[in-house]
Amino acid sequence: MKLNLIYIVFFGSIFGCFAQKDSLQNPYFKSYDDKVTASIYYLDTSNNFEIAYNSVGQKKYVDLNPNRREQMGVGLSYKFVDISFGFAPKFLSENKDNSDSKLFSFNTRFYYKKWMQSFTFINQKGFYISEGPVNVFLPKMRTTKIGGTTSYIFNDNFSYKTLVNQNEWQTKSSGSFIPTFSFYYTNLNLNTEPDSSNGDIYVFSLAPSYFYNFVISDRVLIGTGLAFGAGINDVDGDVSALYQLDFNLKLAYNRDRFFAFASLNTLNFLQNDSAEARLNDNISTVKFNIGYRFDPPNKVKEVYEKVNQKTGL
């Protein structure tokens, strides 16, 4: 079922991109929507959790950290669609001797005028549970996260794509206020015998944010963003308030064909101490990416033009 959901979103985003018009060139940024942008990347990513619970009248904290975090991946962008697949190969140093731990992630993002929609799928197996100096390895524990964000970009002169996928390039420094609505569902399964303990977590939040691209030269820029918001968290029916804190930083180099960048992104959902079953959720990613742009095959362009003409959009 979860894989079917990925396919639906993937193909939906592709047809969504077919139904769009090419954007006009903006003097504040250069568009590469007419090119296929392909890239390979390395990233260190994880979805960590902190659980708080009451024990003999005292608040206790347990950290859940995935055992396998280093990934290699590929990305592909054309027109209004942006997809990437990541996996955790065993030859990377952090992934060796991980007792069959696994990490798979899928991301897609598509655009309609000033709107941006993202979708994320993360599946992890193999966790360490830490409480103070004590560490316990649960090789069968698994978490599955499905969700995404909906954002509105106010400033026409700000290129959000420069920050996230490199099929645009900001040529003049600019920033924008970007409110974002987030929804994520996470399933935690300890997979312990004979009991298999499950937890279902739903997160809804609204976070005002501000992003800015500092253009240092024709080929180099620094992109940054900060978001702070609030929402609700449902842990197995126990509903409580939460806070959202996000941070983004990117250093990028660009030519018309070749590009490279390094980025740091964190997404944090935090609950206050009054929550009965507190579960803080953190997604952090350090990414190094190199890529190349090229003209799309004629067949791809023909299909795009035919669908675009038939839709009349």
Side-chain angles (χ1 to χ4, degrees), residues 42-43 70-72 87-96:
Y42 159 85
L43 62 85
E70 287 188 324
Q71 283 188 291
M72 300 290 292
F87 60 98
K90 290 185 178 180
F91 63 79
L92 293 175
S93 60
E94 289 293 326
N95 300 340
K96 294 178 181 178

Side-chain angles (χ1 to χ4, degrees), residues 249-281:
L249 181 65
K250 178 178 183 178
L251 174 62
Y253 173 84
N254 183 74
R255 302 179 70 92
D256 285 342
R257 293 289 184 178
F258 172 81
F259 63 86
F261 68 81
S263 64
L264 167 66
N265 301 285
T266 65
L267 173 61
N268 303 276
F269 295 109
L270 309 170
Q271 292 177 266
N272 58 39
D273 292 335
S274 62
E276 287 295 326
R278 194 178 88 182
L279 196 149
N280 294 333
D281 189 346

Side-chain angles (χ1 to χ4, degrees), residues 102-288:
K102 295 180 180 179
L103 170 61
F104 173 80
S105 65
F106 169 87
N107 298 278
T108 184
R109 183 182 291 108
F110 52 101
Y111 305 85
Y112 178 73
K113 297 182 179 179
K114 291 187 174 187
W115 292 93
M116 191 279 294
Q117 178 66 48
S118 74
F119 172 80
T120 297
F121 174 85
I122 302 174
N123 186 270
Q124 301 176 120
K125 177 187 175 186
F127 274 75
Y128 279 100
I129 292 184
S130 303
E131 185 176 2
V134 179
N135 292 311
V136 178
F137 181 48
L138 297 178
K140 294 184 179 180
M141 180 180 173
R142 183 186 296 273
T143 66
T144 303
K145 181 182 294 293
I146 299 174
T149 62
T150 303
S151 303
Y152 185 82
I153 304 163
F154 273 85
N155 187 359
D156 291 335
N157 295 327
F158 174 75
S159 170
Y160 189 75
K161 293 182 182 180
T162 297
L163 196 62
V164 297
N165 67 7
Q166 209 77 5
N167 62 352
E168 283 182 356
W169 180 252
Q170 193 88 48
T171 55
K172 297 181 181 179
S173 296
S174 183
S176 179
F177 173 67
I178 304 176
T180 298
F181 172 75
S182 300
F183 164 73
Y184 290 96
Y185 163 73
T186 304
N187 175 262
L188 282 79
N189 192 333
L190 295 179
N191 281 321
T192 55
E193 299 295 342
D195 259 347
S196 184
S197 180
N198 271 288
D200 294 312
I201 306 158
Y202 299 88
V203 169
F204 305 87
S205 69
L206 181 62
S209 62
Y210 188 79
F211 290 84
Y212 197 89
N213 287 328
F214 298 90
V215 177
I216 298 175
S217 70
D218 290 342
R219 305 201 185 280
V220 179
L221 65 73
I222 296 175
T224 186
L226 184 66
F228 182 77
I232 60 173
N233 186 61
D234 183 325
V235 181
D236 291 334
D238 184 2
V239 179
S240 59
L242 61 79
Y243 304 103
Q244 179 179 346
L245 179 62
D246 304 342
F247 176 72
N248 297 268
L249 181 65
K250 178 178 183 178
L251 174 62
Y253 173 84
N254 183 74
R255 302 179 70 92
D256 285 342
R257 293 289 184 178
F258 172 81
F259 63 86
F261 68 81
S263 64
L264 167 66
N265 301 285
T266 65
L267 173 61
N268 303 276
F269 295 109
L270 309 170
Q271 292 177 266
N272 58 39
D273 292 335
S274 62
E276 287 295 326
R278 194 178 88 182
L279 196 149
N280 294 333
D281 189 346
N282 168 265
I283 305 173
S284 59
T285 301
V286 176
K287 186 175 185 179
F288 299 92

